[in-house]
Amino acid sequence: MYSFLFYLILEFLGLMFLILSFSVIVIYLILMILSAFEMRDYIRKNRFADYGDIITSPIAPGVSILAPAFNEGQNIVQNAQSLLSLHYGKFEVIIINDGSKDDSLDKLIQAFELEKTNYAYNAEIETKPIKAIYRSRNMSYRRLTVIDKENGGKADALNAGINIADLEILACIDVDCILSSESISRMVRPFMEETNKKVIAVGGVIGIANNCDVVNGTVTTYRVPETQLGKFQVIEYFRAFLMGRMAWSRINGLMLISGAFGFFRKDLVRAVGGYFPKTVGEDMELIVRMRRYMDEQKIPHKVGFVPDPLCWTEVPEDEQILSRQRNRWMRGTIETLQLHQAMQLNPKYGILGMISFPFWSIFEKSAPILEASGVIYTLILLAIGDFSAVYFIALLAMMYLLSLLVSSFSVLYEQIAFNHYKDKKDLQKLIWMIITEPILVHPKIVFWGVMGHIDFIKGKGGWGIMIRSGFKNAEEKKKLNPQVTSS
Amino acid sequence: MKKILPWFIVFLLFFLPGVIQAQSQIIPEDSIGFRDFLIVQKEVPGLSYRYVLGEKSISDELASDSIYQFSKTDTGYVSRLISDFDLAERLENRLVADSLDYQLVYFVFSNLSSHESTYEYLANLIRNGDYQVKFDEDGPKEDLVSLASKAPYSPLQKFKLRFFSDYQLFGVTLVIFFFFLVALGMIVFMLVMKARKNKRENLLKEYERIIIDPLTSLLFEKELKEIQEMDQNEIEFYFPQTLLSKSLYKDVLVERIIGLNKRMKGEFKDKLKSLYKKLELDKNSMDLLRNKKWDRVTMGLVQINEMDLVEALPEVKKFTNSSNFHIRSQAVAILLNLSDQVDLTFLRDQTFPISLWQQMNYLRIIRFASLQKDLKLEVLFDSQNSSIRIFGYKLVRMLGRMDLIGVLSSIAGGVAEEEKIEILETYSTLGAHMEVDFINECLHAQNPNLNLAAAKAASVLGNSESAEILFGLIKSETSFGNKLHYLKSLYELDREKFDQATLDNSSNEILKIKDHILDPMLQNV
């Protein structure tokens, strides 16, 4: 009887892995096609966009740039100066010193002649206590506001910024990101263009600055990073931004825009209660909650995506740091999906509930678990002698070639759309990475993903019961006991 | 996934018993068939058999037969455990011949087992793949060679097709082959494309270098009249036909001329336009309007607009209500830019809502046109399209058209609240003091956004009545943000009233707001 059950389970798993493998192939082929159409249209549309007017036009919306900083003393002044020199008419820069232990605040005060103000801070969104709000009498720095607050994490710091932001659009960025001078005008365009649907947020591409030359806040010469993990992340970012997000943007199914460079409509962010500080995936959670809110209010909406390279960041090339980042990302994904589980396969939430959410649940959240299970399954088959080498190799070859196909496609995209890596050697390095990545790097990524699951189960960093039971509706976050929220 | 899984299991449970049933039917259920089956199997792991005799005594010969190895029991005799059923069956003949009372019993792992249990045990073994069933193989009765000579010749065709008959393997192999080809193709394409793109970029640079010299010399060395009178040979001297026939060269030339036209002024502009026509690039632009691709049409419209090709206006007019956003925007921009008399009725009649992006572009053109032409902005107020009406109010504000305040005043009472907000901002910007009654009326409205817009306008244009209303609003308002806005407006409008509102109030919130408003560092916050 037990033997029968064992073989039944094996049969079932075998069938499941076969179905999954084919689903992965079909879905990635669809994503490739969708992103190709989207990229083609974007390039065509962009030819006719004149960004000259937007800088001075009274019709263009104002942008509040929110940059949380924690122990960024080394570069905080240069970073703030770089933000203040962006080419745009109506914008303000709010730097939130999130309880830094270093001299970040002193450096800012000194460099920008800041003074404490009597700012009437209203915690519309609950945050950790604010120590002071600074501004400068020097007119050159009139756009700058600095909030000094107790440490509460990135989401909490952003919430403090949202509370005092004065303009229509919020640009939430990482303070150490390098922004192109025309980044605001390009990112604001989707908010200004749409008439049939309300654009609630716009995401941008994050470029990898490792090993590149940066002059006046713009990457002038692109070079592929030297390390294997650096090169892998170049390919991965192409896949994620140029292929994945372009495709999801095509069907208005975007569920994530990068926390390092995202633009949001302020009124809506406030309406849903800002960032949720008790999740490590605050960027994804906010987008999902905003979309959920719009669907619950039955307001047609859209999350835009701009594929132009406008923001660059240094990615971790150290294995330990990268593993922590991936662990955090995985926990963030699980937490977000858990918090909004009511949307799963719910037609009320349209594309998001019926397509994006299930995709993320199966192919993003569960992918490391499924892949690890696949390995264990193969080992069991080997042990009991029921292993078909031909099928195993065939399936493995199929998945390897799919990876090759998807990666080469995304690099091809970059070459067609931007052609940044001009040196042939760089392209050769990328191709070599495409070929070796599934063998050398992917297993590590899977392992870190599995560790993320384990840490989530252990309750690391998250907000246990609340996250497991999830939000009943998008506005529930606002109704949470403020003391609990800020604990 | 959670919902699908139970269904999937039900699906499996529905079909799998059928498969299992099919496996167990290999063993005949009737006792004779079962025995025949066991004969063919000979030995089955875990199964053994024993003869039990009901006789009190048997012949000495049988009792001492080493094959049977009978042992005496209380009720008779029992044989040894026999693992080969074929042998057991053969041993039965002797017992039949001696007319003995005997019974063949089954043992599973040395435990006495019934016929049903033995059957079940065997079925399980087969199902789990732990036992490979043997079938009765009738060996060839004749010589193999002579048998083969009787068989018709077939060149192992069946064997060759075995790969294709395994559909799963065939399918997977096909997919792999397809993926391999596509991946390989992609990489090759990538390399080829990279080479081409680099080549194209180099060619672009080369053409730009080639073009810049003749263009500069034409612009700076020749008069407008000379350019207009140039013949084909002269043109060819500057821009050889061999190059002009290349589309990339033509594109670079168009881009260069348009780029210079944007930056230059006066006679230089006229020279460039004249050259554009001399090179017949205008025909090229017009032809683009007939293209099926929207981006080519838009490109044509952009060129017409930049090079002021007035003769194309009748064609352009057809595109003003196009369903394509970019074509529509460009066509409207051209009409605003190139028409002698800017008649805004075509804009009024637009059915599609205009986006902020379009408004921004139109504003730039209308602002420029308003310096030279008389614009009847008021026609926009009659539009059926609310986005056009709102744009009209914005234009009054941005172009400083004080003369239209009266028209706005006549319609302000009857428009939607969203439009009222826009009108209030226009009054505020233009300093329309005579509209204070409308502002006060809006301060009394139920819509908080309208109240806030009215409060902002009141801070510049309000009167004592406005101050009173604001005072009341501050008292009744619960939102911190709104209170801050009302107090700010009151501070701008009437300091005395502001002091009254803040001094008499012991609320911590009001005191915080007061400190904020009075802080010179926060003047614009």
Side-chain angles (χ1 to χ4, degrees), chain A residues 1 3-4 7-8 11-12 15-16 18-19 22 25 29 32 41 44-45 47-51 53-54 56-61 113-122 133-137 139 145 164 166 185 188-189 191-196 341 344-345 362 390-391 393-395 397-399 401-402 404-405 407-409 411-412 415-424 427-428 431 434-435, chain B residues 1-5 8-9 11-13 16 20 124 127-128 130 166-173 175-184 186-187 189-191 193-195 197-198 201 262 293-300 302 325-326 328 330 353-361 363-364 367 391 394 398 479-481 484-485 488 509 512-525:
Chain A
M1 180 63 194
S3 178
F4 164 70
Y7 281 96
L8 178 71
E11 283 289 326
F12 170 69
L15 193 70
M16 194 188 81
L18 200 72
I19 293 170
F22 278 97
I25 292 167
L29 287 177
M32 279 161 71
D41 286 356
R44 281 183 185 174
K45 280 179 197 167
R47 284 164 67 190
F48 308 109
D50 185 353
Y51 293 98
D53 282 345
I54 201 170
T56 51
S57 179
I59 286 177
E113 302 158 37
L114 298 174
E115 288 175 37
K116 241 183 212 178
T117 64
N118 290 323
Y119 200 102
Y121 179 78
N122 174 35
I133 294 175
Y134 295 85
R135 284 185 60 85
S136 178
R137 283 181 199 275
M139 280 307 282
T145 303
I164 71 156
D166 204 31
S185 46
V188 157
R189 182 181 158 199
F191 288 105
M192 294 181 72
E193 256 185 4
E194 201 65 50
T195 51
N196 301 326
Q341 55 195 285
Q344 178 91 282
L345 292 172
I362 300 169
V390 179
Y391 280 111
I393 292 166
L395 212 61
M398 204 160 73
M399 297 317 288
L401 284 169
L402 176 76
L404 215 68
L405 196 70
S407 300
S408 11
F409 194 70
V411 174
L412 183 68
Q415 293 292 304
I416 294 172
F418 309 114
N419 195 22
H420 282 145
Y421 296 95
K422 298 210 186 292
D423 193 342
K424 239 183 192 170
L427 189 62
Q428 282 162 6
I431 291 173
I434 290 172
I435 295 166
Chain B
M1 187 66 190
K2 270 184 210 162
K3 290 175 188 173
I4 292 170
L5 195 65
F8 190 72
I9 292 169
F11 170 83
L12 281 179
L13 290 175
L16 276 176
I20 294 157
N124 260 337
R127 193 161 43 234
N128 297 341
D130 291 339
D166 188 342
Y167 296 114
Q168 283 177 311
L169 186 62
F170 181 63
V172 171
T173 315
V175 174
I176 290 172
F177 190 64
F178 167 73
F179 271 27
F180 181 74
L181 276 185
V182 177
L184 196 74
M186 197 85 82
I187 291 171
F189 179 62
M190 206 187 318
L191 291 169
M193 204 221 55
K194 174 120 191 119
K197 195 150 188 170
N198 286 348
E201 276 177 17
K262 266 185 184 174
K293 290 181 182 167
W294 70 263
D295 58 316
R296 302 299 294 161
V297 177
T298 313
M299 179 57 79
V302 169
F325 170 86
H326 299 275
R328 197 167 68 231
Q330 279 302 330
I354 55 168
S355 68
L356 287 177
W357 189 261
Q358 285 170 305
Q359 289 181 29
M360 182 181 77
N361 288 325
L363 170 67
R364 174 174 46 86
R367 209 177 234 169
F391 180 52
K394 280 183 192 170
M398 287 158 189
S479 152
F480 182 93
L484 175 70
H485 282 292
K488 258 188 193 173
E509 216 173 43
K512 255 171 85 178
I513 295 175
K514 184 188 171 190
D515 288 345
H516 179 117
I517 293 169
L518 295 179
D519 189 338
M521 307 268 290
L522 301 169
Q523 282 306 302
N524 303 310
V525 182

Side-chain angles (χ1 to χ4, degrees), chain A residues 148 156 220 231 264 350 362 410 412 462 475:
Chain A
D148 183 30
D156 190 69
T220 49
K231 278 181 263 198
F264 306 86
I362 300 169
S410 45
L412 183 68
E475 286 180 281

